[in-house]
Every structure is written in C-alpha cells, then in structure tokens.
Amino acid sequence: MNVVLFAPSEVGPQGRVRLPAADRRARHLRSVLRVAAGDSVRVGILDGELGRAHVVCVAGDHIELACAFGEPAPGTQDVLVLAIPRPKVLLRCVETAAALGFAHILLVRTWRTDKSHVVASALAAPALRAHALLGLEQARRTRVPAIEVFPLFRPFVEDHLDARCAGASCWLADPEADLGIAQVADVPERPFALAIGPERGFTEFEREQLVANGFMAIHAGAHPLRVETALAFVSGQLVLRRAMR
Amino acid sequence: MNVVLFAPSEVGPQGRVRLPAADRRARHLRSVLRVAAGDSVRVGILDGELGRAHVVCVAGDHIELACAFGEPAPGTQDVLVLAIPRPKVLLRCVETAAALGFAHILLVRTWRTDKSHVVASALAAPALRAHALLGLEQARRTRVPAIEVFPLFRPFVEDHLDARCAGASCWLADPEADLGIAQVADVPERPFALAIGPERGFTEFEREQLVANGFMAIHAGAHPLRVETALAFVSGQLVLRRAMR
C-alpha cells in the first residue's frame, strides 16, 4: 500500500480521518507500516487529490490522521477491453489495470471464454472495485476505473464499443498479428484502447469485428503470454511509443 | 500449455515419445487439450528445437506421440536480477521471466528482502525449474533459463554481477529514477540486464552499487508497480526500444 485512500465522505473538518481498528487500512497502517503518532503517510481521496497525513494517534480502537491534500492525481483516459479470464486472474488483471492507470475496464465474454469463468462472485461490482482499489493503492493513484461487464460479445461490439473508445487509438493484442508495436508507424498522443483476448484467443469473427471497429492487431513478440503478462507487457509498449512521439 | 516439452532423453527413435497417464503433460493433453489419436500438437525439446507431434494413441495408461522437430527455437541472452519477493510472487515471476525469454535469472537477497521470503522450499532448484518450464510451455519456448540464488547482496555485486552481465546493457527499474525509458538516448541491440528491487525498493547503498557496476536507473512512469507487473511492463519497454533502433 503506497497510498492510503479515503472516500470524500470519510474526510472530516481540517482533513481529519478516523479509522476504526478493524478497518483494512487501519490494520495495514498498524501491522505492515507500523505507524506511530507523529509519523507521516501518503494519502489520497478517491477520484480526488493526493497528499500527506500526519498520524495523530494510534489507539486500541482507532487510528486518527490529519490529512493535507492538494497534489493533483494523474489520470489517463485509456481503455482496456478484456476477455473475461478465470476469476483469480480476472481480479489480478483488474488490480493491474488500475495500477497501470486505465480509466475504463470493459470485461467481455467472448466465444472462447470458459463458461465457468463467468462467475457471479468475481464479476460482482464490489469484488471488482475492491481489487481496483488495491491497484490504486499500489500505484499511488486515486482515479477509480469505471468497470463494466458485457455478457455477449456481438451486442458489445455493435452497441457499446464505439462510444467507449471514442477518440482513442485502438489496439488488439494478438500473437498471430503481422506487426509488432515496433513496426507500427505511429502511436498517437491521445488515449489508447487495448483489447486482450482469452487464453485461446479471439475467434476469427471476433477479431474481424474488432478490426472493422478500428482496432489494429499487434503482437507482443510472437510468444503467447499469459493474460496478466500481456496486459503489462503491451501496456508498457503502448505507453512508451506514445511518450516517444 | 502452448507447447509440450520433453527432455532429450524422453524422445526415442523416430521421434517417439511415450508419456505415462499420470505424467503432468499427459494429463494436460487428455483433460485440457482433449487430444485423440490423429491429432497434431506443438512440441519441443528442452534447450532444443520446436516441432509438431502426431498423436499415435491415447490409451488408459499412456499417451504416445510421434514427433518431428526441426524448427529452431528462439533464445535471448537477457539477464534478470530480481530481489527475492515472497514465495508465491517469486514463482510467478520465474514463470513470467521464462515466458519473456530471459536466459539468466539471478535471485538476490537484498537489505529490504523480508527474511520470511527466503524460504527454502520456493528457492529449491526443482521448484524454480518447474515454474520456469510452465513459462516456456506458455510462451512456446524451449531454452531453460539458468537460475541462481545469492543470499548476500554485496558479495553478489562484487564477485558475480560483472561476469553474469558481461556485454549486456544494464538497467535498474526504480520508481524514483529521473529518466523513463522514453528519455534514454539509446537501448543498444545487444542483450540487456534488468534489475528489479523488492517491494520497498533497493536501499541507497544497493542502488549505488548497481549504478557503479554500470546499471542505469529508469522509472516505469513514476507509479510504483508490483514486482510482477514491473517485470512485464519494463521488459516490454526495453524489448521495444531495442527493436526500434
């Protein structure tokens, strides 16, 4: 946890925050960061600013902090389109995507998505949000990604994809693609949308639908990577190409 | 499993391989890939060539394959220097590093490596090798990375680092670095060595030692990433910069 995040409603007058001892963040402050009165910790407001907190008191039943915000928190408008992987991987990917700063995560059921992966408990909004917060805490970010679940691929592409990716440069990670990101002429300065298929790949039909909607297929070196690895590896490359313009 | 790998000693005359039903690969072929006689699967020889196998028979107690090798398997000479993370993360990182094609993985205990992470069972050669093979199977590679464990940082840097990184361009992933990879003048065409610290970072002394040994500090966008995410993210960027020369 590289930043402790609060909902705006948790922050009282003069930036005071009181966390009950049983709160996950209080437990982390106490057991992992081992804070004591007088220490300083990094804090942030969800969807708001970053800052620093002075630890006022560490009592048996609560921890009290005095926060000062004021540092603008970075944000992106990047979009992740992710074929729903198995629940454990899904939650790790949501965490990673939040850490990488994706603003919008679209979880899509594809033809080759295993039925058993479309599990209500992992796809429930509270579980997804909890893992997104873990990613923000890791990466010192505050912007909570919007996460949407689409149980059918075709209506997703036909009715929703365009609106979600408006203005973005769109990329489809595909081990069978002809081009790597090194060979692409240009990654524009604007936000990007990255689509990552299921372990066994998008079907030909799905790939064509994405390409017809402006996605360009790129490979990550012709070696199929696990979903989580591909997410970080290809994101790193897109972020770099965009920065090197 | 995108390729089924065999030790050279497992491959008989005319490329015949017989896997007992209890073998991990046989179980995968049967239960996940659901192969039947006549099917074709991708195969490879550890540290050797890739190829295709014809499934000769799927019997109750064994599976028999007729393999034809002959495709050269890609390899790199890249080196990963990794501060030992907690065992579960360590094994996932080894898998990821093998999938990304690292030839050499140096696991180093640093000052901020938690004592509890230096666990004999996860650092035992068979466990490390097993996870490296999972990464190769995922990424269709055959070159088994050499994995070494160094329980002390200073003797590692003073006595071993130079020899392991000879000829490589050397990079230190550091959220506090002044430069991102986009700002670096040049990533040479030769192999690279990438050093990734523990969750709480290298100490100032360790960082200085690495820099004195030719490592250049680079950040991955000023957001601290989890070890596994940083490994894939920064590797993607180094691979891309090297390819874009």
Side-chain angles (χ1 to χ4, degrees):
Chain A
M1 195 186 282
N2 291 307
V3 64
V4 186
L5 296 173
F6 308 113
S9 62
E10 291 179 297
V11 183
Q14 278 109 49
R16 288 296 171 117
V17 174
R18 188 188 161 105
L19 296 173
D23 182 277
R24 181 179 66 84
R25 296 158 296 182
R27 283 186 280 122
H28 188 91
L29 285 167
R30 190 187 299 261
S31 317
V32 181
L33 303 181
R34 298 174 191 281
V35 298
D39 286 355
S40 169
V41 294
R42 284 175 195 269
V43 292
I45 297 184
L46 289 172
D47 288 317
E49 293 174 333
L50 289 164
R52 283 247 164 215
H54 174 82
V55 178
V56 177
C57 114
V58 180
D61 66 338
H62 76 281
I63 291 181
E64 189 162 352
L65 304 169
C67 306
F69 301 99
E71 295 170 40
T76 77
Q77 292 301 316
D78 299 333
V79 179
L80 175 64
V81 177
L82 183 68
I84 299 168
R86 62 176 207 274
K88 216 172 107 181
V89 176
L90 167 64
L91 295 175
R92 273 210 303 264
C93 283
V94 166
E95 191 178 327
T96 300
L100 294 175
F102 281 96
H104 215 128
I105 303 173
L106 312 176
L107 302 171
V108 187
R109 183 173 175 185
T110 67
W111 183 254
R112 292 192 185 129
T113 297
D114 200 293
K115 256 179 232 165
S116 69
H117 296 174
V118 189
V119 173
S121 58
L123 290 169
L128 296 173
R129 181 178 167 93
H131 279 78
L133 294 193
L134 292 178
L136 299 178
E137 289 171 354
Q138 165 65 41
R140 275 186 216 137
R141 294 185 180 273
T142 70
R143 311 267 162 215
V144 186
I147 307 180
E148 294 180 277
V149 179
F150 297 92
L152 292 168
F153 187 82
R154 197 166 173 167
F156 161 69
V157 171
E158 291 177 353
D159 304 335
H160 302 285
L161 185 61
D162 249 19
R164 300 300 184 288
C165 300
S169 71
C170 299
W171 309 92
L172 161 61
D174 178 359
E176 314 291 325
D178 295 328
L179 292 180
I181 302 179
Q183 286 93 49
V184 166
D186 187 36
V187 173
E189 207 174 334
R190 57 187 200 270
F192 62 76
L194 170 61
I196 295 184
E199 289 289 343
R200 293 183 296 138
F202 286 113
T203 63
E204 200 48 45
F205 171 77
E206 289 165 346
R207 200 175 282 121
E208 279 166 15
Q209 289 250 300
L210 288 168
V211 169
N213 276 269
F215 278 72
M216 174 176 264
I218 44 166
H219 65 70
H223 293 278
L225 298 173
R226 279 188 302 144
V227 171
E228 300 157 77
T229 310
L231 168 56
F233 190 89
V234 179
S235 294
Q237 297 194 329
L238 286 171
V239 166
L240 178 62
R241 278 294 312 262
R242 180 169 58 186
M244 286 184 69
R245 293 172 49 78
Chain B
M1 196 184 284
N2 291 308
V3 65
V4 186
L5 296 173
F6 309 113
S9 62
E10 292 181 295
V11 183
Q14 278 108 50
R16 287 297 170 117
V17 174
R18 188 187 162 107
L19 296 174
D23 182 276
R24 181 179 65 86
R25 297 157 297 180
R27 283 186 281 121
H28 188 90
L29 285 167
R30 192 189 296 264
S31 317
V32 181
L33 303 181
R34 297 174 194 280
V35 298
D39 286 355
S40 169
V41 293
R42 285 174 196 269
V43 291
I45 297 184
L46 289 172
D47 287 317
E49 294 174 333
L50 291 164
R52 283 245 164 218
H54 173 82
V55 179
V56 177
C57 114
V58 180
D61 66 339
H62 76 282
I63 291 181
E64 190 163 349
L65 304 168
C67 307
F69 301 100
E71 295 170 40
T76 76
Q77 293 301 316
D78 299 334
V79 179
L80 175 65
V81 177
L82 183 68
I84 299 169
R86 64 176 206 273
K88 217 171 105 182
V89 175
L90 167 65
L91 295 175
R92 273 210 303 263
C93 283
V94 166
E95 191 178 326
T96 300
L100 294 175
F102 282 96
H104 216 129
I105 303 173
L106 312 176
L107 301 171
V108 187
R109 182 174 175 183
T110 66
W111 183 254
R112 291 191 187 132
T113 298
D114 200 294
K115 257 182 232 165
S116 69
H117 296 173
V118 189
V119 172
S121 58
L123 289 170
L128 296 173
R129 181 179 166 92
H131 279 79
L133 294 192
L134 292 178
L136 299 178
E137 289 170 355
Q138 165 66 40
R140 276 187 215 135
R141 295 185 181 271
T142 70
R143 311 270 161 212
V144 186
I147 307 179
E148 294 180 278
V149 179
F150 296 91
L152 292 168
F153 186 82
R154 196 164 173 169
F156 161 69
V157 171
E158 291 177 353
D159 304 336
H160 302 286
L161 185 61
D162 249 20
R164 299 301 185 288
C165 300
S169 71
C170 298
W171 309 91
L172 161 61
D174 178 359
E176 313 291 324
D178 295 327
L179 292 179
I181 302 179
Q183 286 93 48
V184 166
D186 187 35
V187 174
E189 207 175 335
R190 55 187 201 271
F192 63 75
L194 170 62
I196 295 184
E199 290 289 343
R200 292 182 297 137
F202 287 113
T203 63
E204 200 48 45
F205 171 76
E206 289 165 345
R207 200 175 282 122
E208 279 166 16
Q209 289 251 299
L210 288 168
V211 169
N213 276 269
F215 279 72
M216 174 177 261
I218 45 167
H219 66 70
H223 294 278
L225 297 173
R226 279 189 304 146
V227 171
E228 300 157 77
T229 310
L231 168 55
F233 190 88
V234 179
S235 294
Q237 296 195 330
L238 286 172
V239 166
L240 177 62
R241 279 294 311 260
R242 180 168 60 184
M244 286 185 69
R245 290 172 51 75

